[in-house]
Amino acid sequence: MDINIVLLVIIAVNAIVSYKGFNDYTFFRKYEFHIGSIRAGEQYRMFTSAFLHADFMHLIFNMLTLYFFAPVVIGLLGWLSFLLIYFASLLCGNLLTLYFHKNDYSYRAIGASGAVTGILYSAILLVPDMTLGLYFIIPVPAYIFGIGYLLYSIYGMRSKSDNIGHTAHFGGAIGGYAITLSKVPQMIFENTFMVLLLAVPIVVLFLLARAGKI
């Protein structure tokens, strides 16, 4: 499957903006996701923060994940749908983060993880029987990886034991899941079990949120 030029442009923009942020602390602070600044009116950070990364490893991990899974979405849905899922998942990830951390004015985050997770979840929904190489070695069914990843994200959201933006990952997955189903609604009837199975972590998240446990 050929890599679409749109994908390469997105990867290039992420690399250029991130590199600028690595070398310009003022630039980095101006465009990162920061609850206090967003609530003060700087909503552009909801978008710009998704093109900044903490370091080269963070950037490479996100872009490699995007490089591997975006072709599935582009090949089956087209590049316009890919862009819709990417940017909607980006915003869903940051909107969910804003919702859960709205009273933590010092909360900061960066990275394309929300958008990338949306593409990942979309690809898994489209081709649930594909196999992923965990750590590039261990074969794991895509749907098992997707469900496990989101359940781990719920754990991370609850424990708050690291600096990873688990909430953005989850919001991105919700965006990718919802938009993919809206684009291919027949999946609901043709692969009902898998659609419901992939929805389990999303339902668990909202049940825990409603119970005040997140």
Side-chain angles (χ1 to χ4, degrees):
M1 185 182 297
D2 292 332
I3 299 301
N4 193 283
I5 186 64
V6 174
L7 171 60
L8 298 180
V9 169
I10 287 179
I11 291 174
V13 172
N14 270 279
I16 292 167
V17 175
S18 293
Y19 185 75
K20 170 69 173 174
F22 296 157
N23 297 285
D24 188 335
Y25 183 79
T26 302
F27 177 87
F28 185 90
R29 285 300 185 210
K30 181 178 180 180
Y31 293 108
E32 69 179 348
F33 184 98
H34 178 240
I35 294 290
S37 298
I38 292 170
R39 296 198 62 178
E42 296 180 1
Q43 281 80 18
Y44 64 84
R45 292 171 180 263
M46 298 280 289
F47 179 79
T48 59
S49 60
F51 292 91
L52 292 167
H53 289 80
D55 50 41
F56 278 111
M57 287 305 298
H58 186 203
L59 172 65
I60 290 170
F61 179 81
N62 272 340
M63 293 304 101
L64 273 179
T65 304
L66 183 65
Y67 182 86
F68 288 137
F69 291 98
V72 176
V73 179
I74 294 171
L76 294 174
L77 298 182
W79 66 269
L80 283 174
S81 292
F82 161 73
L83 285 177
L84 174 62
I85 293 169
Y86 184 91
F87 287 107
S89 297
L90 181 162
L91 291 176
C92 283
N94 281 341
L95 283 170
L96 193 66
T97 303
L98 181 62
Y99 173 77
F100 275 103
H101 297 279
K102 58 183 177 292
N103 294 319
D104 183 0
Y105 283 69
S106 64
Y107 184 89
R108 301 174 185 273
I110 36 85
S113 299
V116 172
T117 306
I119 294 298
L120 169 66
Y121 220 64
S122 176
I124 291 172
L125 192 58
L126 290 166
V127 190
D129 59 347
M130 67 178 169
T131 300
L132 310 182
L134 189 62
Y135 301 114
F136 301 102
I137 300 174
I138 307 169
V140 176
Y143 71 92
I144 295 294
F145 176 83
I147 292 169
Y149 185 75
L150 290 196
L151 290 176
Y152 172 72
S153 292
I154 291 177
Y155 168 78
M157 290 167 66
R158 293 192 66 194
S159 66
K160 300 176 182 178
S161 59
D162 54 39
N163 294 320
I164 298 173
H166 297 286
T167 314
H169 297 170
F170 217 106
I174 293 172
Y177 179 86
I179 295 170
T180 303
L181 284 182
S182 74
K183 291 288 182 180
V184 194
Q186 61 266 32
M187 283 194 298
I188 298 172
F189 307 102
E190 295 174 356
N191 203 358
T192 306
F193 176 73
M194 191 58 63
V195 170
L196 292 175
L197 190 62
L198 289 171
V200 168
I202 297 171
V203 173
V204 170
L205 172 71
F206 284 104
L207 288 176
L208 288 174
R210 187 169 182 178
K213 296 186 179 298
I214 292 183

